[in-house]
Structures are given as structure tokens and as C-alpha cells.
């Protein structure tokens, strides 16, 4: 008896690696059949958000360039490095700067971790913006994906907010003055209320600024507020919305695709047969109700491949590419850290983070128009796209509908010419205030380079709408104009704006102060 | 159908290799190749060479390659300089190469590193772990490492510069002396005392390079480089500077620079202050008055020179009066001088020097008046003025004879302002009449009643006086009476 128990114990001990592995992984081995590959997918918490099979187009690199996944990957990188930084960071105006210096100098590889955090955050903002452009130009917001477009817009705003709140935490000159500028942008409605003289009774700008900073200036209250937002509130909101975003991708039928992506034919048993075409909303859940027609007999399957391993190879590779890019950038380029924040020594020029520099350029024309009106118009306009452009067509294809590509290029060059012309004119000749020093501020709020650009772009879009008789083409022209304008304004403010917001060809020409 | 995920597997391979290479590279780069570890390994070799006696062997045995720092909460500093400067308190290291060498002099005997750290004297970025970032002249840091010869500027953080042996702080001593000798206080305030033409210099040493105009300065753009260049040629560094070229030698410029760098009201706990520093703080609250001559030298000579001649000031395009000239001293009353010194001359560059303006003590004003008056005997009092003047007639006489230099209404000319309220209040009729009659010897003011050629008769002078008295209305005199401390005179600050 005792002998058998000992033997059993030794046997179990011998099998321990295998039994632990079996316990962890439900399938317990490398899948060998399509059935096991399906199980590998839907028996795993992290993978089961994917469908078991995906359309081959999903794996085409040029369809999405993996941008959404890159944004997710950079978020995961910031999350991990952020938690490491939190261990050392002290959110107090007295200690914050020194704690960043300590991370930089004495924490083992702390400098590298902070660089990774910084670079992946920048990469996240960039990829989120590009992802939005991809979704737009492949018309992937159309029914039934309207809601996910809105969720994506929310994610964009949270991403910007995350990056912005993180900007203050090092408590150096760069942070201090960038947030000062940012909070003044929040204060911009005051330009309008001042102009019509109601600030005393109704001051939304001042309210927004105080809400943001917890005081009238950037200080300890602002720092702790930004910290809480940065490490808790916003990441939580982002993760939640990301969950919704992913879940909706799945529920809305995966990546958007045209009705008959491959001419309606598929390989099946060595011959080409008509494709079995489910509805766009089809899901693969066993218990899910399949709406619409029943699967027709005598038709081939879709052009699908197993998610395991193909999709997961693709996703893992995009993830690792993001990691690799971030590491290389972080290795060679340090995250900036200027002198300790000092309210007595203003940075000149004080610049907001780069993704807000387009807005700062507009604010330099008119605070109200540039800081509130135009951003609101842009966000509302973006949100309305899927509800105003409802005619199906072109889903999942770059410039999928008729004459979309020519319209894109026409709008591109139109917006390029108009924006460059407008900026060059403003830089050379100034604006209303330079010509009529006593003009009422309301005129400048109404008529400034920013508002004129919006009007011209809108007029162009209406022109396309009339001429081409297509809402999609009007949307394409407007979105293209927005992208070009945003990029050029950001570029101008980043490279060519120097001390006192004057124009310089290169930063090397700035007067040294 | 060809394998749809083949390209991704290659991509994954490449990305993973890059990731691993850079992770390992960063770990090695940040941990094993750190500059300070190399330095400490070198130092261990030196210790090994010098371990010839028991003490040396003990030091070698105790030595660990690890980060070292002096944390001084009272001074708010964490100085990691000793991570590389391992030998600063080891007397055997006088001959070895930096950074291993012994600290020069005997300063560490009384200023141990674990109590004072390094940056309180040397500035620089104490938290840094590489020399470039510790030196901090081309990284973002407010106070980069001071050049060795200027380090004495920081002695006065805890000491009274006047009480330290001059041979220990030669430049600082020379700088303090030059500051008095060149009468810098005529234009600049220090400790609340001085003129108002230039900026106050109380926290000049606390300024960062971002607070100074570096446009026309050759690199490196450090604050001391700015000070050095500025003392050699103020207008060349600060366009439109009002400051006269102090014409100093290179060494004098260095001494003044060190003195400027020492001007830093730094908050240091009392336990760090030398007894003489505490006395100095006490003396600042209870100052001993300077003699009249000292006051004149420190606060007057920059504009008035030795005071016996009128100086034409090119920068401000006006005459600076000869305040020790025989004509003024012999005619002006004590009250006239006192009002002018205490309240200044609005409209000119002469600021007020009373306790609430230029910061002179009442005793010092008195003694400087004595000093001025000692330069010439007072003239006997004049016979009483009896003639009544006619202001309208006086106006036409004034326009013909006076307005050319003194300006319309006695304002904004090249000569002293006689239309301003302070003058009107301070100058007695007798003083004015006598000055018109006799002129001011050594100045451009002629005598209008020379015996050989009387330009104005007694009645004419009485008329001019009557006109002058109309220049300040009743209203402004009342306003002056309410406000004893006039605003600093107009005129740009550098």
C-alpha cells in the first residue's frame, strides 16, 4: 500500500510539468486540426474576442497597416513602463522634479524606461490619428460600424488627454509652460465673453481653466489633479472604451469588407465555387442567432483562414514591431527634461505638446475661435460623418467608391494651396489688428485665418457635394482638407514659430535669450 | 493557397531580434558601461597601488564599486559628485589625475562633504552621474558648475565677505572694493541702498542664463561669461544699456563678476551660518552710518565726479551740476541741499536718497551735506529783496535768457530742472536771485550781473523770479507736501 502511494507520488512528481501545463492551457498542446485551432482561439480569455476564422483580406498588410493594433501596443507599453515609473515618481511640486532626475540618473535603466514611456506615448497619439484616417479612407465607419466610429473618437480624445496630463508631471520648465499654454486654451472662451462684456456674469473660460488646474495658476493642485487623471481616471476610461471598441469590431463583423471581396468565388475542394455570403453582422458564436438568409446549399465557404495561427502571427508581429520601434527610439533619444519649473522665468516660445500646436497656432489668431469654436466644429463634424454619409459602398477598400481617389488628390492640393497661402499671407502681412489697431475684437473672433480656412474648406466640400452629387465624396474632400490643415498648422507651429510666436525659418535663427 | 501569415512571421522574427538586442544593449549600456563605474574601477586600481601600509590596505578592503552621495536635506541637495571624486578626502591622492585627486587646500577640514555636500559651494548638478551633466553648462540646469577661480563667490552664502581673510577670497575682496570705488551704488541698489537708474543687484548671482540677454554674447552662454563681457562693454552686451563703460582691466572685470555671483539671498539654515554672517545680518538691520566722504564716493561720484566741475553727460544729454562747486555751495542753504538729496530732482536722472528712496540714513544725508558744504565757505547773507516782480515781463526775459538751456517752463532742457516742484519747494528766493546774479563758476551758467556787463538789472531778476514762481501752481505744491517720496525719475532702465 505504502509502496504504491510512494510510486504514485513520484509518478505525479515526474509528470508535474505536463500536468501544470495542461491545467493552465485548456487545449494543452499545439493545435493540429482546424477544430483544435478553433478551440485554441475561443478557449483563451485573451484570444476569444477574435473570431475563429478571419477573411484573408484581414491579413493584407496594406489594408490597415496594423495602425489600430500599434496604438493598442503602444498603450500596453506605456501602461507597463508607467507602472514602473509610478514606483519612483512623487506627485508633489517639491519632489516631482528631483524624482524624475533620480529616475534619470540612479534608477537602474530608469532613463531608458522613461524614454520608452515617452516615445510610446508619442507613437500612440500618432497611430491613433493615422488609424482614424485609415478608417475614414476605407469607409469603414459605415453601417453597422457608426457606433464604433464614435467610440474611436472618444478614444482619440482620451489619448490626447492622457498625453497632455502626463506632460505636466516632470514639473520642469517645458511641462510648466506647456500646461500654462494648455490651460490658457481652456480659458479661451473668455476672449468672446470679454468682447461682449459679460465675463463678470458668465465666465465659462475661467470655469474651465479652474476646473482643469484646481486654481488660477499651475501649481500643486494642478499637479495632483493631472496625476490622478493620468494614472487612474483616464487609463481606466481608455481600457473600458477599448474593450467596447474591440467587442464592437467583432460584433460588427470584423474588419469592414466589400460585398464580394474576391469576385464572389472561392477555392473549395479543388474547384472555384460561389462564395457563401453571410450578412455583415454574422458572428461565429455557437449560440448566436444568425440573422437573415439561411446558409445556402451547394456554395463554397468564404475566403477565410483560421485565426490560429495566422491572425495571431500578424498581431504579435505588429505588437513586436511597435515594441522594437519604441526601444530603438528610446535608446537613441532622451525624453526632454528642462530646468525646474519656475514661474518667474517664462519659456519663450512656450509651446504646447505637438498635437496641440495646430490649435495653439489658431489660438494665436483668436483664442475663442482657435481654442474652442474650431475644435468643437471638428469634433462634432467627425462624429457626424457616419450619420450623414449613409449610402453603402466602398467599405473596407481604400478610396472604394467611384472618383474618390481623384477627389482626394484634388482636395489635397486645394487644401495645401489654400492653407499655405493663408499662412504665408498671415506671416507676411499680419491680420486685422495690424491694419486697424482699434478694431473691435468681435471682428477678429469672426474673421481670422482659422475661421476663413474652415469656411473655405466647408465651401469646397459643398461644391464637391453639388458637383459630384455624392455625400461620401463631400465627406472625403472635407476630411482631406482637415487632415492637410491640421498637419500644416502643426508643422508651422512646431518648426517655424520662435520667440514671441514670430516666424523663423529654422530654430537656429532664434535670438538667444 | 500560399501561407498568408508568412510575412508576419518574418516581421516578428526581425522585430523580436531588434527588441532583444536593444533590451540587452540598454541593460549593458545603463548598468555595466556607466561612466562612474569605470571611474571607480580606476580608483580601485589606484588604491591597490597605494595600499602599502595597514591603513591603505584597510581602505582598499573597504572600497566598493557603488553609487556614493552626500544627502543634505537642510540645503536641499543630493550631491553624487563623490561617486567619481572618490579621493577628495584622501591626502595620498594629491598627485593623481582628476577625478581622483584630493580636494585642494584645507577647506574640507572645516567643511566636511557629509555635512556640506559639494554644490552649495561649486554649484552644478549634484544629482548627475556623468561629468557632462554634473558640469551642466550645456544641459538644462539653472546653476552650472562654477569655474574654479570664481568658486569664492559662494563663500558669502555662510560668511561675511568683509570678515574673511582677503587672501582666501582675493577676487571677491577686490570686487567689493571696486564696487565702492567705482561708485556703482550711484545707479544700483544693493541691500536697499543705492540709486535707481540701474537694476537692483541683490539677487544678481541667483539669475539664470535665461534671465540675461545672450544675443550678442559669444558662447559659452554662461552667466559669468555674460558678467565678464558686460563689465568690459555694457552696451555691447545689452543694447540700449544706460550703463557707462566702467573701463576695467580683465582682472577687475573678473573680480566684479565674482562679486556679482556672490549676490544671492540664499536661504540657508542658521546652523550653517558662520558667526560673522549672523553679525552681518544684524548689522544690516542696525547699520553704522558712513562718513560724508564715504557716502559721496560710493553714491555720488559716478554722475557728479569730484563735484567741482559741471559734467556734460552724453548718454542723457544734459549737464550734471557741480555740487561741490564754490558758487552752489556758497549760495545754497542746508535745507535746499537736504530737500534735493532726500527727494531727488524729478525730471532728471537724480533720484531721491532719503531713507525710503535711496536708502541713506538721515545721519548720512546730514554728513554728506556737511561734506559738500565743507568744500567752500558760505557767502554772507544778502540784503533783503524788496523789489516786486512782474511775472509777464519775467516770462519774456526767461524765454530770451534762460529757456535755451533750462527748457520751456524750466523743464526738459539740458541744464538742471528749475521748473519742477522739488526745486521750487527747496530753493529760496535768495538762492535763485543770487545764482542768476553770480552764475555758477565752473558750469555753463553765466553770471547775469557782472559789474562790467550787467545783462539783467535788479528789477529784471525780480521779474524772472516772479515768473519762475508761477511755474508750480498751488495745486502741485500741495500734492508734493502729501508725497514726500517722489517716484524715481523718468528715464529708461537698462
Amino acid at each position: 500500500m505504502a509502496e504504491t502511494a510512494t510510486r504514485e507520488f513520484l509518478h505525479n512528481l515526474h509528470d508535474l510539468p505536463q500536468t501544470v501545463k495542461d491545467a493552465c492551457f485548456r487545449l494543452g498542446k499545439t493545435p493540429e486540426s482546424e477544430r483544435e485551432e478553433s478551440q485554441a482561439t475561443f478557449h483563451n480569455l485573451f484570444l476569444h474576442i477574435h473570431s475563429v476564422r478571419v477573411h484573408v483580406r484581414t491579413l493584407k498588410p496594406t489594408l490597415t497597416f496594423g495602425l489600430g493594433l500599434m496604438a493598442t501596443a503602444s498603450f500596453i507599453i506605456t501602461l507597463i513602463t508607467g507602472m514602473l515609473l509610478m514606483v519612483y515618481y512623487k506627485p508633489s511640486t517639491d519632489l516631482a522634479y528631483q524624482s524624475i532626475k533620480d529616475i534619470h540618473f540612479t534608477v537602474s535603466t530608469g532613463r531608458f524606461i522613461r524614454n520608452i514611456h515617452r516615445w510610446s506615448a508619442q507613437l500612440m497619439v500618432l497611430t491613433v490619428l493615422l488609424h482614424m484616417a485609415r478608417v475614414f479612407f476605407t469607409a469603414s465607419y459605415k453601417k453597422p460600424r457608426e457606433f464604433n466610429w464614435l467610440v474611436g473618437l472618444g478614444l482619440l480624445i482620451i489619448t490626447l488627454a492622457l498625453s497632455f496630463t502626463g506632460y505636466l508631471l516632470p514639473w520642469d520648465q517645458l511641462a510648466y509652460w506647456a500646461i500654462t499654454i494648455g490651460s490658457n486654451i481652456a480659458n479661451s472662451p473668455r476672449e468672446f465673453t470679454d468682447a461682449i462684456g459679460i465675463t463678470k456674469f458668465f465666465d465659462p473660460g475661467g470655469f474651465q481653466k479652474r476646473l482643469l488646474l484646481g486654481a488660477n495658476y499651475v501649481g500643486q493642485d494642478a499637479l495632483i489633479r493631472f496625476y490622478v487623471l493620468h494614472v487612474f481616471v483616464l487609463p481606466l476610461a481608455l481600457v473600458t472604451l477599448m474593450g467596447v471598441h474591440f467587442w464592437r469590431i467583432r460584433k460588427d463583423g470584423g474588419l469592414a469588407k466589400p460585398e464580394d471581396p474576391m469576385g464572389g468565388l472561392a477555392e473549395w475542394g479543388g474547384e472555384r465555387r460561389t462564395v457563401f455570403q453571410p450578412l455583415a453582422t454574422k458572428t461565429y458564436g455557437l449560440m448566436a442567432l444568425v440573422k437573415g438568409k439561411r446558409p445556402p446549399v451547394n456554395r463554397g465557404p468564404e475566403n477565410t483562414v483560421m485565426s490560429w495561427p495566422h491572425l495571431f502571427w500578424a498581431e504579435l508581429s505588429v505588437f513586436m514591431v511597435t515594441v522594437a520601434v519604441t526601444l530603438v527610439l528610446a535608446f537613441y533619444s532622451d525624453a526632454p527634461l528642462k530646468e525646474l519649473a519656475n514661474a518667474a522665468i517664462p519659456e519663450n516660445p512656450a509651446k504646447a505638446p505637438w498635437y496641440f500646436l495646430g490649435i495653439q497656432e489658431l489660438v494665436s489668431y483668436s483664442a475663442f475661435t482657435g481654442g474652442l469654436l474650431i475644435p468643437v466644429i471638428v469634433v462634432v463634424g467627425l462624429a457626424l460623418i457616419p450619420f450623414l454619409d449613409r449610402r453603402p459602398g466602398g467599405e473596407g477598400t481604400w478610396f472604394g467608391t467611384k472618383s474618390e481617389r481623384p477627389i482626394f488628390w484634388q482636395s489635397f492640393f486645394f487644401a495645401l494651396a489654400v492653407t499655405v497661402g493663408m499662412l504665408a499671407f498671415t506671416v507676411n502681412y499680419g491680420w486685422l489688428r495690424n491694419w486697424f489697431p482699434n478694431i473691435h475684437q468681435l471682428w477678429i473672433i469672426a474673421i481670422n485665418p482659422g475661421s476663413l480656412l474652415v469656411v473655405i474648406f466647408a465651401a469646397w466640400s459643398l461644391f464637391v457635394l453639388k458637383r459630384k452629387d455624392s455625400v461620401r465624396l463631400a465627406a472625403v474632400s472635407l476630411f482631406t482638407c482637415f487632415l492637410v490643415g491640421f498637419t500644416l498648422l502643426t508643422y508651422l507651429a512646431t518648426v517655424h514659430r520662435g520667440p514671441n510666436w514670430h516666424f523663423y525659418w529654422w530654430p537656429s535663427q532664434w535670438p538667444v535669450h | 493557397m500560399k501561407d498568408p501569415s508568412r510575412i508576419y512571421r518574418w516581421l516578428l522574427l526581425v522585430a523580436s531580434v531588434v527588441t532583444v538586442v536593444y533590451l540587452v544593449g540598454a541593460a549593458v549600456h545603463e548598468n555595466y558601461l556607466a561612466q562612474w563605474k569605470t571611474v571607480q574601477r580606476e580608483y580601485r586600481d589606484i588604491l591597490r597601488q597605494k595600499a602599502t601600509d595597514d591603513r591603505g590596505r584597510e581602505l582598499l578592503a573597504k572600497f566598493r564599486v557603488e553609487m556614493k552621495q552626500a544627502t543634505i536635506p537642510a540645503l536641499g541637495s543630493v550631491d553624487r559628485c563623490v561617486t567619481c571624486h572618490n579621493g577628495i578626502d584622501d591626502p595620498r591622492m594629491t598627485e593623481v589625475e582628476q577625478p581622483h585627486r584630493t580636494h585642494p587646500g584645507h577647506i574640507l577640514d572645516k567643511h566636511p562633504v557629509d555635512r556640506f555636500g559639494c554644490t552649495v559651494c561649486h554649484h552644478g548638478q549634484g544629482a548627475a552621474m556623468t561629468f557632462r551633466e554634473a558640469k551642466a553648462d550645456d544641459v538644462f540646469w539653472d546653476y552650472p558648475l562654477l569655474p574654479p577661480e570664481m568658486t569664492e563667490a559662494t563663500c558669502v552664502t555662510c560668511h561675511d565677505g568683509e570678515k574673511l581673510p582677503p587672501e582666501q577670497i582675493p577676487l571677491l575682496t577686490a570686487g567689493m572694493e571696486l564696487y565702492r570705488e567705482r561708485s556703482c551704488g550711484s545707479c544700483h541698489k544693493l541691500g536697499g541702498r543705492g540709486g535707481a537708474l540701474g537694476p537692483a543687484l541683490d539677487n544678481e548671482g541667483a539669475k539664470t542664463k535665461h534671465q540675461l540677454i545672450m544675443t550678442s554674447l559669444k558662447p559659452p552662454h554662461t552667466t559669468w561669461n555674460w558678467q565678464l563681457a558686460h563689465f568690459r562693454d555694457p552696451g555691447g552686451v545689452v543694447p540700449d544699456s544706460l550703463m557707462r563703460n566702467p573701463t576695467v582691466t580683465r582682472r577687475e572685470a573678473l573680480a566684479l563678476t565674482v562679486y556679482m555671483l556672490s549676490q544671492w539671498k540664499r536661504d540657508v539654515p542658521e546652523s550653517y551660518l558662520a558667526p560673522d554672517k549672523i553679525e552681518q545680518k544684524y548689522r544690516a538691520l542696525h547699520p553704522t552710518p558712513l562718513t560724508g566722504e564715504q557716502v559721496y564716493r560710493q553714491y555720488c561720484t559716478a554722475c557728479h565726479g569730484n563735484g567741482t566741475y559741471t559734467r556734460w553727460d552724453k548718454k542723457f544729454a544734459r549737464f550734471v551740476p557741480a555740487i561741490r562747486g564754490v558758487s552752489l555751495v556758497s549760495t545754497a542753504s542746508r535745507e535746499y541741499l537736504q530737500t534735493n538729496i532726500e527727494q531727488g530732482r524729478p525730471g532728471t536722472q537724480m533720484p531721491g536718497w532719503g531713507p525710503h528712496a535711496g536708502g541713506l540714513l538721515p545721519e548720512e544725508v546730514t554728513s554728506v551735506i556737511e561734506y559738500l558744504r565743507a568744500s567752500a565757505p558760505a557767502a554772507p547773507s544778502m540784503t533783503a529783496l524788496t523789489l516786486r516782480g512782474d511775472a509777464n515781463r519775467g516770462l519774456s526775459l526767461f524765454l530770451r535768457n534762460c529757456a535755451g538751456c533750462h527748457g520751456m517752463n524750466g523743464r526738459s532742457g539740458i541744464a538742471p530742472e528749475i521748473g519742477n516742484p522739488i526745486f521750487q519747494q527747496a530753493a529760496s528766493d535768495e538762492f535763485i536771485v543770487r545764482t542768476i546774479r553770480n552764475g555758477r563758476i565752473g558750469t555753463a551758467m553765466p553770471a547775469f550781473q557782472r559789474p562790467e556787463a550787467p545783462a539783467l538789472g535788479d528789477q529784471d531778476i525780480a521779474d524772472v523770479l516772479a515768473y519762475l514762481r508761477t511755474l508750480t501752481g498751488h495745486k502741485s505744491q500741495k500734492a508734493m507736501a502729501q508725497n514726500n517720496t517722489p517716484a524715481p525719475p523718468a528715464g529708461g532702465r537698462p
Side-chain angles (χ1 to χ4, degrees), chain A residues 59 101-102 108 111 339, chain B residues 5 8 30-31 80 125 210:
Chain A
L59 294 174
K101 282 283 183 193
D102 284 349
S108 182
R111 186 184 68 93
E339 293 92 345
Chain B
S5 58
Y8 293 111
E30 301 265 314
N31 290 307
R80 304 189 173 121
Q125 186 173 196
H210 300 296

Side-chain angles (χ1 to χ4, degrees), chain A residues 56 59-61 97-98 101-102 104-106 108-112 305 310 313-314 316-317 320-321 323-324 327-328 331-332 337-339 345 511-513, chain B residues 3-5 8-9 11-12 15-16 18-19 22-23 25-27 29-31 67 80 125 127-129 133 140-142 208-212 214-215 221:
Chain A
V56 280
L59 294 174
K60 212 174 129 201
Y97 185 68
Q98 186 59 42
K101 282 283 183 193
D102 284 349
H104 187 94
F105 288 126
T106 56
S108 182
T109 64
R111 186 184 68 93
F112 191 52
V305 291
H310 302 297
W313 281 127
L316 196 59
S317 70
M320 285 313 289
V321 164
V323 172
L327 288 185
V328 172
F331 190 82
Y332 292 109
L337 184 64
K338 299 190 92 175
E339 293 92 345
I345 309 177
V512 193
H513 54 87
Chain B
D3 185 352
S5 58
Y8 293 111
R9 290 208 297 265
L11 204 60
L12 179 61
S16 304
V18 171
T19 301
Y22 274 86
L23 277 179
H29 182 259
E30 301 265 314
N31 290 307
M67 192 194 78
R80 304 189 173 121
Q125 186 173 196
M129 296 291 278
E133 281 170 299
F140 297 114
W141 189 249
D142 282 333
T208 74
K209 62 182 173 188
H210 300 296
Q211 288 165 290
L212 299 167
M214 299 281 185
T215 319
H221 290 155

Side-chain angles (χ1 to χ4, degrees), chain A residues 137-298:
Chain A
F137 286 120
T138 55
S140 303
Y141 54 79
K142 287 188 180 174
K143 198 176 173 195
R145 296 180 176 80
E146 305 100 315
F147 179 71
N148 226 10
W149 171 263
L150 293 184
V151 175
L153 205 57
L155 285 168
L156 168 68
I157 291 167
I158 295 177
T159 303
L160 293 179
L162 259 174
S163 190
F164 182 69
T165 47
Y167 219 81
L168 179 66
L169 303 187
W171 202 249
D172 64 339
Q173 282 284 76
L174 189 69
Y176 184 88
W177 292 101
I179 303 308
T180 304
I181 293 289
S183 64
N184 285 342
I185 292 177
N187 196 23
S188 60
R190 201 174 258 194
E191 188 199 18
F192 182 68
T193 51
D194 276 348
I196 58 175
I198 58 162
T199 308
K200 239 192 312 182
F201 318 105
F202 179 65
D203 182 18
F207 176 74
Q208 278 190 155
K209 184 175 172 178
R210 280 194 300 278
L211 190 68
L212 189 65
L213 299 183
N216 287 324
Y217 55 90
V218 181
Q220 178 63 58
D221 297 298
L223 184 60
I224 202 75
R225 217 164 260 236
F226 276 49
Y227 180 70
V228 170
L229 286 172
H230 188 73
V231 304
F232 172 67
V233 179
L234 293 172
L236 200 64
L238 193 82
V239 168
T240 312
L241 273 194
M242 263 166 74
V244 176
H245 203 59
F246 295 162
W247 181 78
R248 278 302 288 247
I249 296 174
R250 172 77 190 281
K251 290 293 163 188
D252 293 342
L255 293 185
K257 56 181 174 291
E259 280 290 318
D260 283 327
M262 301 205 153
L265 295 174
E267 299 261 331
W268 179 247
E271 49 181 310
R272 293 175 78 78
R273 299 173 75 162
T274 320
V275 156
F276 156 64
Q277 198 58 250
L279 282 186
T281 48
K282 175 186 182 294
T283 71
Y284 287 82
L286 291 175
M287 303 297 292
L289 292 170
V290 180
K291 279 195 258 178
K293 297 170 275 189
R294 269 182 294 166
V297 187
N298 205 18

Side-chain angles (χ1 to χ4, degrees), chain B residues 251-272:
Chain B
R251 194 187 143 74
E252 284 172 334
L254 184 61
L256 283 168
T257 298
V258 169
Y259 186 49
M260 286 301 101
L261 292 178
S262 75
Q263 296 304 320
W264 188 350
K265 299 256 172 295
R266 212 180 143 177
D267 223 358
V268 174
E270 211 160 283
S271 55
Y272 277 85

Side-chain angles (χ1 to χ4, degrees), chain A residues 121-142:
Chain A
Q122 304 282 324
L123 207 63
M124 184 174 162
V125 174
L126 188 70
T127 46
V128 164
L129 287 171
L130 291 176
H131 174 61
M132 179 177 77
R134 191 283 290 174
V135 170
F136 179 84
F137 286 120
T138 55
S140 303
Y141 54 79
K142 287 188 180 174

